[in-house]
Amino acid sequence: PVIISKGGQTGTGAQATQSHTGSIAGDYKLWPVLCRQAGVITVENIQEMADLLVAFYYLPPLPGSNVGVVGIGGGASVEAADACEKAGLTVPQYPADIQKKLRELVPQAGTSVKNPLDSSVAVVWQASTMLKTLQVVASCPDIDFILLQPPVQLGLYHLGEEAMLEAIQAVVQAKKEIAKPIVVVLRHSASPQTSAAFFNLQQKLVDGGMPVYSDMHRAAWALGKFHQYYKQKLQITKFK
């Protein structure tokens, strides 16, 4: 794929290009049309480019847009559902048999076994239950890939980094056993301790060949763009 971040989108930005690339920058209004016709992906900035490159580097083409979200917290679950839907992804409800299996793992109080799965710290940040949860979600025929969003700060507070590293190792193991792609969003605060834990967990996942994001909106946007690229590519191939 070709990914382009086009500068000079505004009047002021266009003037600024005159001291650098000059007339090569061109009229921004033409770019979206030209890029779409050429099958080029456009992004707004370098951060979006980096997020999209993570998806292309670590993931195979997604078989569909149905995502199974696994995490902790009602607010985070709602935010994840909104972010996914806005990005063109679908968050289908788990069927009754899958919900029943999840309920055997997830405590009743303050949780939900629908999609997004709103679980607990003791389930998501424990290696054995983390692996079982991912296996159950992956067994759902309506799910094309999994988006895991464990909160780093809660894990540190309740269990400690050693237990969290063991749980992350279970996620890496799940990647080897489960046929469906797994994407991880490590939600964390800006505190030094939490940030340090984030980088340690991220490194373990990256070493295991897994894509990692620090923000749900960025992850959902990148995955939506990623899936749309292959969907359009398939349509063009069929047309030819």
Side-chain angles (χ1 to χ4, degrees), residues 26-146:
D27 186 348
Y28 179 72
K29 294 179 181 179
L30 300 176
W31 274 85
V33 178
L34 293 173
C35 289
R36 187 162 55 250
Q37 291 178 347
V40 172
I41 304 172
T42 57
V43 296
E44 293 293 318
N45 49 57
I46 298 302
Q47 177 179 285
E48 288 187 354
M49 180 178 287
D51 289 340
L52 198 49
L53 286 172
V54 167
F56 276 107
Y57 185 82
Y58 287 104
L59 294 172
L62 299 175
S65 62
N66 290 350
V67 54
V69 182
V70 177
I72 303 171
S77 296
V78 172
E79 183 179 357
D82 285 342
C84 288
E85 293 283 350
K86 288 178 180 179
L89 304 174
T90 306
V91 188
Q93 292 295 296
Y94 298 129
D97 61 322
I98 296 296
Q99 291 192 35
K100 182 179 179 181
K101 292 177 181 177
L102 289 171
R103 184 52 74 191
E104 294 173 358
L105 298 168
V106 179
Q108 186 78 34
T111 63
S112 172
V113 291
K114 298 177 181 179
N115 192 14
L117 172 63
D118 175 8
S119 190
S120 69
V121 176
V123 173
V124 171
W125 278 124
Q126 291 280 8
S128 60
T129 47
M130 170 81 89
L131 179 58
K132 291 176 182 176
T133 299
L134 294 175
Q135 289 171 335
V136 171
V137 173
S139 71
C140 179
D142 300 330
I143 296 301
D144 296 309
F145 67 101
I146 298 172

Side-chain angles (χ1 to χ4, degrees), residues 175-220:
K175 173 185 179 291
K176 300 175 182 178
E177 299 178 0
I178 295 173
K180 297 178 181 179
I182 303 173
V183 180
V184 182
V185 177
L186 291 174
R187 295 162 39 212
H188 67 99
S189 66
S191 71
Q193 183 184 15
T194 307
S195 296
F198 165 81
F199 287 116
N200 290 335
L201 298 168
Q202 179 190 44
Q203 189 62 57
K204 200 171 190 67
L205 288 164
V206 169
D207 289 343
M210 303 189 69
V212 184
Y213 295 90
S214 60
D215 178 84
M216 175 56 71
H217 292 276
R218 289 170 59 183

